[in-house]
Amino acid sequence: GQQVMQIPQYQHVQEGEDFTTYCNSSTTLSNIQWYKQRPGGHPVFLIQLVKSGEVKKQKRLTFQFGEAKKNSSLHITATQTTDVGTYFCAGMVVGAQKLVFGQGTRLTINP
Amino acid sequence: DTGVSQDPRHKITKRGQNVTFRCDPISEHNRLYWYRQTLGQGPEFLTYFQNEAQLEKSRLLSDRFSAERPKGSFSTLEIQRTEQGDSAMYLCASSLRTGFNFNYGYTFGSGTRLTVV
């Protein structure tokens, strides 16, 4: 079945450093979504990417969708303590109707 | 209607007992999903509904699990004869899918944490 792999599993940075998490799918995706889950919380939708090669920005967050629509990345510039949490990518296979989540990248920040 | 509501927030049950969880989605959303999440893992798909129709159920889901969404409103997830391996956070999410086949992001509830002892 479809698999969505995310790396790294954990990332610890100093406040102010950049952070990147990568997502790879075994199959072509119709779209990819990113979610953030704070400790003890539930996943919260951040963004959806649909087009090949698409790049979207939300303040310090930059999301990319690969040309082949099989990979994606999330980059955070100059991390802040409010960025702490686990970031999940979730892909929807072409023709499917459900999201398949990656294992997540847990970000911790040293203030 | 401020979000997706799940009840109860926590459930402790003895092995072999049946449990039922409820999810109230955002009223404007036509799709409802159930996911299961264990510690350190991403949400794992269980099943989803479009309005009242259950359109897909995970092959990993045993026959002990059943979900309903009567009248396309709230949904229930029942687990029969619970096992210790069923201990997890059960997340409900809703979303809107338009007639143009556009999928919007999911809105998750706070989840029901199940502990089977």
Side-chain angles (χ1 to χ4, degrees), chain B:
Chain B
D1 194 339
T2 58
V4 177
S5 299
Q6 290 190 246
D7 184 68
R9 291 292 303 272
H10 303 273
K11 179 70 176 179
I12 300 175
T13 190
K14 291 184 178 180
R15 189 164 47 120
Q17 297 295 306
N18 299 345
V19 294
T20 301
F21 311 140
R22 177 182 171 120
C23 171
D24 287 272
I26 293 174
S27 56
E28 296 83 8
H29 288 178
N30 52 9
R31 289 206 164 177
L32 185 147
Y33 307 84
W34 285 98
Y35 280 79
R36 176 172 62 189
Q37 187 176 29
T38 53
L39 197 62
Q41 300 297 314
E44 175 190 24
F45 171 79
L46 295 179
T47 188
Y48 89 94
F49 294 83
Q50 175 148 326
N51 301 314
E52 67 274 9
Q54 186 175 17
L55 297 186
E56 187 173 348
K57 187 176 175 180
S58 171
R59 287 172 294 171
L60 301 176
L61 212 57
S62 82
D63 292 342
R64 297 183 298 105
F65 287 72
S66 63
E68 294 183 341
R69 192 183 182 196
K71 301 178 183 177
S73 56
F74 70 92
S75 177
T76 58
L77 177 68
E78 181 184 17
I79 309 174
Q80 296 181 329
R81 304 181 303 281
T82 52
E83 302 172 356
Q84 286 188 322
D86 297 332
S87 294
M89 175 72 83
Y90 288 83
L91 292 165
C92 175
S94 68
S95 72
L96 180 65
R97 180 176 169 85
T98 70
F100 295 102
N101 286 336
F102 186 82
N103 297 285
Y104 289 85
Y106 293 5
T107 301
F108 280 89
S110 298
T112 294
R113 182 169 297 283
L114 173 66
T115 302
V116 182
V117 298

Side-chain angles (χ1 to χ4, degrees), chain A residues 15-31:
Chain A
E15 187 174 14
E17 291 182 340
D18 293 356
F19 160 77
T20 304
T21 173
Y22 300 91
C23 181
N24 286 284
S25 170
S26 56
T27 52
T28 304
L29 303 172
S30 61
N31 68 78

